[in-house]
């Protein structure tokens, strides 16, 4: 499989069941990653299972967006779809961790990769919708995905769960005052961010509208948060995604 430019596309795995949020997430990854539509294959995992014959060599790398699921949800309350999604992502991670295959998971990626690697994911360090000041660690500043980033920068966040105990083999790349694990790496090529490198102001405004009643913030705060989304400067955060694309494009 190759794109119109002759390079292998990236695979974006989406778990969003709301079509407006899912469509805007694709727009965000295309824009922040400076990808053309031909460079991105999208699989809506909530709608259909991953194909059993998925060949990693068809893709330059795998991207995982955020979504409505939380790894730390009570298993007894997880829907059939959520349980299937978790099982399929775990099986995929078995393969890509073993192969050290390029992977970048945003927000939900922290929960999936963190749990898969033996970390503790719970609701201790959830963050309200808005901006967070992200700080690179020494290892983060030296990582290829941080090339061109300042040591501190703002990024959009909004999550109910986070890592409270980093997997033993993980390298901590970024942190913040309210959420100690904002970015980590497994092996040489697997990354997860708690913040959203794909989100711009329009994207966050869309998610505020879509998830107004999903428990991420008081519904009456939607207008104020939308104003914040449009006023914030989170331009540096997209550098992580652009560097991932540039590093692994082939």
């Amino acid at each position: 499989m190759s794109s119109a430019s002759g390079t292998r596309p990236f695979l974006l795995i989406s778990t969003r069941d709301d079509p407006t949020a899912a469509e805007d997430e694709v727009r965000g990854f295309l824009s922040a990653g400076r990808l053309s539509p031909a460079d991105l294959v999208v699989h809506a995992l909530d709608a259909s299972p991953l194909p059993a014959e998925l060949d990693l060599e068809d893709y330059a790398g795998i991207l995982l967006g955020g979504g409505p699921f939380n790894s730390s949800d009570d298993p007894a309350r997880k829907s059939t779809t959520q349980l299937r999604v978790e099982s399929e992502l775990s099986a995929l991670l078995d393969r890509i961790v073993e192969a050290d295959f390029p992977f970048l998971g945003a927000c939900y990626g922290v929960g999936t990769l963190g749990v898969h690697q033996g970390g503790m994911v719970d609701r201790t360090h959830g963050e309200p919708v808005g901006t967070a000041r992200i700080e690179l660690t020494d290892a983060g500043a030296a990582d290829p995905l941080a090339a061109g980033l300042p040591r501190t920068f703002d990024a959009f966040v909004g999550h109910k769960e986070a890592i409270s105990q980093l997997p033993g083999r993980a390298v901590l790349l970024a942190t913040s005052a309210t959420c100690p694990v904002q970015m980590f790496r497994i092996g040489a090529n697997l990354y997860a961010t708690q913040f959203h490198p794909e989100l711009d102001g329009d994207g966050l405004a869309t998610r505020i509208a879509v998830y107004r009643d999903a428990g991420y913030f008081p519904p009456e705060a939607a207008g104020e948060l939308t104003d914040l989304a449009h006023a914030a400067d989170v331009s540096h955060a997209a550098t992580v995604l652009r560097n991932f694309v540039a590093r692994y494009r082939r």
Side-chain angles (χ1 to χ4, degrees):
M1 180 184 295
S2 63
S3 69
S5 62
T7 60
R8 299 179 191 184
F10 289 84
L11 173 64
L12 171 60
I13 298 175
S14 171
T15 63
R16 297 188 184 277
D17 56 357
D18 182 274
T20 300
E23 181 179 349
D24 191 73
E25 181 174 71
V26 173
R27 179 200 64 80
F29 273 99
L30 289 173
S31 176
R34 295 178 178 170
L35 292 160
S36 72
D39 291 325
L40 192 67
V41 173
V42 181
H43 184 93
L45 190 55
D46 70 293
S48 62
L50 281 174
E53 68 277 10
L54 181 71
D55 188 346
L56 297 180
E57 288 306 308
D58 284 343
Y59 304 101
I62 294 176
L63 302 164
L64 175 65
F69 303 139
N70 292 287
S71 300
S72 60
D73 287 342
D74 180 352
R77 297 188 175 186
K78 291 181 179 180
S79 67
T80 302
T81 298
Q82 181 173 355
L83 292 171
R84 176 182 61 77
V85 166
E86 290 179 348
S87 175
E88 291 179 8
L89 287 176
S90 180
L92 178 62
L93 286 170
D94 286 344
R95 297 175 58 199
I96 64 178
V97 169
E98 181 180 5
D100 201 10
F101 187 80
F103 171 86
L104 175 59
C107 196
Y108 188 47
V110 163
T112 53
L113 184 58
V115 168
H116 183 273
Q117 290 297 290
M120 176 67 72
V121 176
D122 57 31
R123 304 205 173 201
T124 304
H125 300 295
E127 292 178 294
V129 172
T131 59
R133 178 58 55 90
I134 310 299
E135 180 177 356
L136 296 175
T137 64
D138 289 344
D143 192 273
L145 262 59
L149 274 174
R151 285 297 292 253
T152 62
F153 59 94
D154 288 341
F156 285 137
V157 297
H159 52 99
K160 299 175 182 178
E161 66 178 10
I163 285 188
S164 60
Q165 183 177 332
L166 199 64
R169 63 177 299 211
V171 178
L172 181 65
L173 301 177
T175 184
S176 71
T178 53
C179 185
V181 180
Q182 285 284 354
M183 182 176 177
F184 68 91
R185 187 186 73 242
I186 297 291
N189 300 309
L190 282 79
Y191 294 86
T193 66
Q194 187 64 77
F195 63 89
H196 286 274
E198 84 288 2
L199 263 186
D200 56 15
D202 288 340
L204 182 59
T206 296
R207 293 188 194 178
I208 289 168
V210 169
Y211 298 113
R212 179 188 180 104
D213 299 308
Y216 290 98
F217 54 86
E220 62 272 17
E224 178 183 351
L225 290 173
T226 299
D227 291 341
L228 180 152
H230 290 307
D233 179 5
V234 296
S235 55
H236 286 299
T239 302
V240 171
L241 184 53
R242 287 199 298 270
N243 285 341
F244 181 84
V245 168
R247 183 182 184 192
Y248 296 112
R249 189 190 296 270
R250 59 187 173 129

